Amino acid sequence: MQQPDDNRPDGLLDAAATKNVSDNYVGAYSLPVECGVNRVLVRSTVNAGEIKLSAYAEGVKPDYLTVKTNPVEVENGMSEYLPQLTLKPCLDRGATPTTPSYTEHFAGVDIASATAGYDEEHASNSFDDNELSEWKNDGRLSTAWITYRLSRKAVVSDICLKLTGWRLRSYPLEIYAGKKLIWNGETERSLGYVHLKPTKPVATNEITIRLKGAGKDKDAFGGIVEVAEPAAGELDLFKAKNGGDTKSELRIVEIEFLEVVK
């Protein structure tokens, strides 16, 4: 968006050139456009009249808009047009309840530590509440496992996972509570997190996630186009180290173990 040079007030040209995203381009005449979209907020002055807006971009036909502002009568610093003077409250529902308006069905069980078949140093990346980090093995099936030690013994009834390549890749997994197999199958492709329900939940403080075969890649959401930060998109790149097979990578962005609240 740009205004002709001859219409720019003196001194604003230099100021506009120094504007950046940190100050929302206040006062700037040249604005960035992402995917053909931008928005402009116009603040009127104390004088009523017409506000004329124009938009220019290279290779695009310019467009114009006129907005009319109306005078507002002010008495003792107040105006009858202020919402708080004209909107009527609705008190039919009574006072806000002091008790929670929701029922908690699940609670997270804290993870104390983790060991892994490869890169154990970064195993904590899979439960650090940071969706821009991950833990992964080296692309070999023998190292595609990670064991979580919980802070206490619990009957885990839901394993919430965000796996790298969530919309493209299905991971064949085995999940163990200690040495007991509690879940076996392929994860669903998703737009983020998947929930795995153990078929035989037992009390445990140690859960192991193991990849049992090559992952399968197929876009399950081809009709959906997402605008994402480049850093987040990095987690959809499949690159194995040391010549390993990318389809034998186990890559966990975030994991959480949930138990039923009694």
Side-chain angles (χ1 to χ4, degrees):
M1 179 172 290
Q2 194 172 18
Q3 185 164 318
D5 292 349
D6 56 355
N7 286 336
R8 295 188 180 186
D10 293 339
L12 283 186
L13 178 58
D14 292 337
T18 63
K19 295 294 177 180
N20 55 54
V21 72
S22 64
D23 57 15
N24 291 326
Y25 296 90
V26 176
Y29 286 104
S30 295
L31 303 176
V33 176
E34 295 185 12
C35 299
V37 176
N38 203 329
R39 298 170 180 83
V40 177
L41 177 66
V42 178
R43 182 177 181 178
S44 66
T45 64
V46 294
N47 300 315
E50 291 185 343
I51 300 174
K52 296 183 178 181
L53 303 175
S54 56
Y56 299 80
E58 185 178 349
V60 179
K61 184 179 178 180
D63 203 359
Y64 309 91
L65 177 67
T66 299
V67 180
K68 185 178 180 180
T69 62
N70 299 315
V72 176
E73 302 236 355
V74 177
E75 184 177 347
N76 297 326
M78 301 290 286
S79 168
E80 62 177 328
Y81 294 103
L82 293 175
Q84 60 264 40
L85 298 180
T86 57
L87 291 176
K88 295 182 179 180
C90 177
L91 304 178
D92 296 345
R93 300 181 64 182
T96 302
T98 57
T99 55
S101 59
Y102 60 89
T103 301
E104 192 174 58
H105 295 283
F106 295 94
V109 182
D110 290 338
I111 299 172
S113 61
T115 56
Y118 177 80
D119 195 19
E120 189 172 302
E121 180 183 353
H122 294 103
S124 61
N125 285 355
S126 63
F127 58 96
D128 60 356
D129 288 330
N130 180 2
E131 294 188 346
L132 298 181
S133 67
E134 65 170 346
W135 168 83
K136 62 180 179 180
N137 71 321
D138 58 354
R140 291 176 169 79
L141 197 58
S142 60
T143 63
W145 62 269
I146 183 168
T147 298
Y148 297 95
R149 183 166 292 277
L150 308 182
S151 60
R152 58 181 172 81
K153 239 180 187 183
V155 179
V156 173
S157 55
D158 189 315
I159 301 169
C160 182
L161 276 168
K162 187 170 189 178
L163 298 159
T164 303
W166 46 88
R167 65 179 284 167
L168 295 169
R169 175 161 292 188
S170 177
Y171 290 80
L173 299 179
E174 292 177 339
I175 301 179
Y176 294 85
K179 295 183 179 180
K180 183 178 179 65
L181 182 66
I182 60 172
W183 194 90
N184 182 27
E186 293 189 358
T187 62
E188 294 181 3
R189 298 174 181 89
S190 71
L191 292 177
Y193 287 84
V194 293
H195 291 264
L196 308 181
K197 308 284 187 180
T199 54
K200 299 178 180 179
V202 295
T204 184
N205 65 345
E206 185 178 282
I207 295 184
T208 299
I209 313 290
R210 183 182 295 277
L211 188 71
K212 63 177 182 178
K216 299 176 182 178
D217 294 344
K218 182 180 179 182
D219 192 349
F221 303 93
I224 297 178
V225 178
E226 298 181 64
V227 179
E229 289 291 335
E234 288 293 324
L235 295 182
D236 270 330
L237 302 177
F238 302 107
K239 296 179 180 178
K241 293 183 178 180
N242 305 324
D245 182 0
T246 60
K247 291 187 178 181
S248 293
E249 281 186 330
L250 177 57
R251 302 176 63 166
I252 302 177
V253 179
E254 284 296 315
I255 189 169
E256 186 177 17
F257 300 102
L258 304 174
E259 65 176 343
V260 174
V261 175
K262 298 179 180 179

